[in-house]
Amino acid sequence: MSLTARRAKAVPGSRGTPPPRTPAGRKRALGLDRGAWFLLLPALIPILVLSAGPLLYGVALAFTDEQAGRTESAEFVGLLNFTDLRHDSLFWESFRVGLVWAVCVTTLQFVLALGLALLLNQNLRFRWLARTLALVPWAMPEVVVGIMWRLVYHQDAGILNKTLSQLGLIGENVDWLTNMSLALPAVIVVGIWAGMPQTTVVLLAGLQNVPHELREAAHIDGAGLWRRFTTVTWPALRPVVLAITALNFIWNFNSFGLVYVLTQGGPGSQTRLPMLFAYEEAFKYGQFGYAAAMGLVMVAVIAVLLAVFLRNRLKEDSE
């Protein structure tokens, strides 16, 4: 027997030897000792209290008739709230608006952010300043963004109407946020502007991890700019694209503050996203159980849509 083989045999847990058989040894091998759990408690307790607890309470609330101002305890009603939801055309209309909003904002955010990330990845002069300015919308709170864009869209004093009028593109001022056909597109533009920086930063980080040697080799082989992007840059960027697209869709579908400040769901129900509808049911009409059922349905539907999307994308990547 060689010296290397004797050392491998003598050292427990080394390559080629079975793992420890005792429970304590298995716990140590998995890193599940008490000390590690004790160190995790300061992070786990706030998550359990502030996230998991309210989530479970909301799930339980969806099966009750809890209402604001009631003195008696809420009663268990089973699936009654979900049955009512199935026939609630206003809720499903808000769900349709939410899907249109989320798909449009997520798609256009990604396309514009990818172009901006490719530009900022070049060796440009004052690149540091351009990268800093690109992050400005991300640093602004949603309420501030909403108020600012309300001023931009203002019918009489808004800079948008003034600019379009000076260019001769419109004859009279347009009320962008109360027009039935223009309100949703106007809000979508704001959503794209507000969320594009975070997508740009993620894609820029992914681009900087693409090996420069591969692009140089493709260039030497005679590949053009588009060919280098499709054969080198895009395959390396796919995992990042998958992650940020899924997260953006979730964030956009659950948008509340920005749209609430801009239109409060109007005009009519043209910009009433599902979160706005659930908010009104809970805090305007006091139907807490019904609103909780809405939230549960939204989570379930979005989870299914994301599972289908991720499954198809992962299948494409594996082929």
Side-chain angles (χ1 to χ4, degrees):
M1 183 181 295
S2 64
L3 179 60
T4 304
R6 287 197 302 270
R7 285 178 177 175
K9 185 177 181 180
V11 179
S14 62
R15 185 178 296 178
T17 60
R21 297 295 183 182
T22 63
R26 286 196 296 271
K27 287 183 179 180
R28 283 194 299 270
L30 295 174
L32 300 177
D33 56 342
R34 292 182 178 180
W37 285 112
F38 182 77
L39 293 174
L40 285 174
L41 282 179
L44 288 176
I45 290 177
I47 292 175
L48 293 175
V49 173
L50 302 176
S51 296
L55 176 63
L56 294 176
Y57 177 72
V59 172
L61 203 64
F63 298 93
T64 67
D65 62 348
E66 181 66 45
Q67 298 178 8
R70 288 183 56 171
T71 55
E72 63 273 11
S73 301
E75 297 181 0
F76 178 78
V77 295
L79 299 177
L80 181 60
N81 289 328
F82 300 95
T83 304
D84 293 341
L85 263 182
R86 190 177 62 178
H87 304 288
D88 192 339
S89 60
L90 292 177
F91 171 73
W92 293 111
E93 174 62 20
S94 73
F95 205 93
R96 183 194 66 82
V97 173
L99 286 178
V100 172
W101 154 272
V103 171
C104 291
V105 173
T106 302
T107 303
L108 296 175
Q109 263 182 5
F110 171 75
V111 173
L112 295 176
L114 180 60
L116 184 58
L118 289 170
L119 180 64
L120 295 178
N121 196 42
Q122 303 299 317
N123 191 16
L124 302 175
R125 196 175 182 184
F126 300 112
R127 182 174 60 177
W128 62 272
L129 179 60
R131 290 180 175 179
T132 303
L133 293 176
L135 291 175
V136 169
W138 196 12
M140 300 173 65
E142 283 189 337
V143 174
V144 175
V145 172
I147 293 174
M148 182 185 72
W149 276 92
R150 279 183 66 91
L151 296 176
V152 171
Y153 284 137
H154 195 278
Q155 182 176 5
D156 299 319
I159 189 174
L160 179 59
N161 278 333
K162 184 176 181 180
T163 302
L164 294 177
S165 179
Q166 290 176 348
L167 293 175
L169 298 177
I170 57 174
E172 58 182 10
N173 289 342
V174 178
D175 196 352
W176 299 92
L177 297 179
T178 60
N179 188 292
M180 296 292 286
S181 59
L182 295 177
L184 184 58
V187 173
I188 287 175
V189 170
V190 181
I192 295 169
W193 183 86
M196 195 173 70
Q198 63 187 9
T199 310
T200 302
V201 170
V202 174
L203 293 176
L204 181 59
L207 288 172
Q208 291 178 344
N209 287 327
V210 178
H212 183 69
E213 295 79 7
L214 294 179
R215 289 198 294 263
E216 286 293 331
H219 179 67
I220 293 173
D221 290 340
L225 187 63
W226 177 251
R227 186 68 175 174
R228 291 199 301 271
F229 175 78
T230 56
T231 59
V232 177
T233 305
W234 182 254
L237 206 60
R238 269 186 177 179
V240 178
V241 171
L242 185 65
I244 193 61
T245 303
L247 290 175
N248 278 345
F249 184 81
I250 296 173
W251 289 331
N252 291 326
F253 188 81
N254 291 324
S255 293
F256 172 78
L258 185 62
V259 180
Y260 183 79
V261 174
L262 283 169
T263 63
Q264 294 186 0
S269 59
Q270 296 300 308
T271 61
R272 182 180 291 164
L273 304 183
M275 288 299 295
L276 281 172
F277 193 85
Y279 170 82
E280 290 178 352
E281 287 294 325
F283 300 105
K284 187 176 181 180
Y285 303 112
Q287 302 294 329
F288 295 128
Y290 192 53
M294 290 182 186
L296 199 56
V297 169
M298 285 188 286
V299 170
V301 174
I302 294 303
V304 171
L305 292 176
L306 280 176
V308 174
F309 168 75
L310 294 174
R311 180 174 175 271
N312 291 335
R313 291 302 300 269
L314 291 173
K315 184 184 295 185
E316 291 176 3
D317 293 341
S318 62
E319 292 177 352

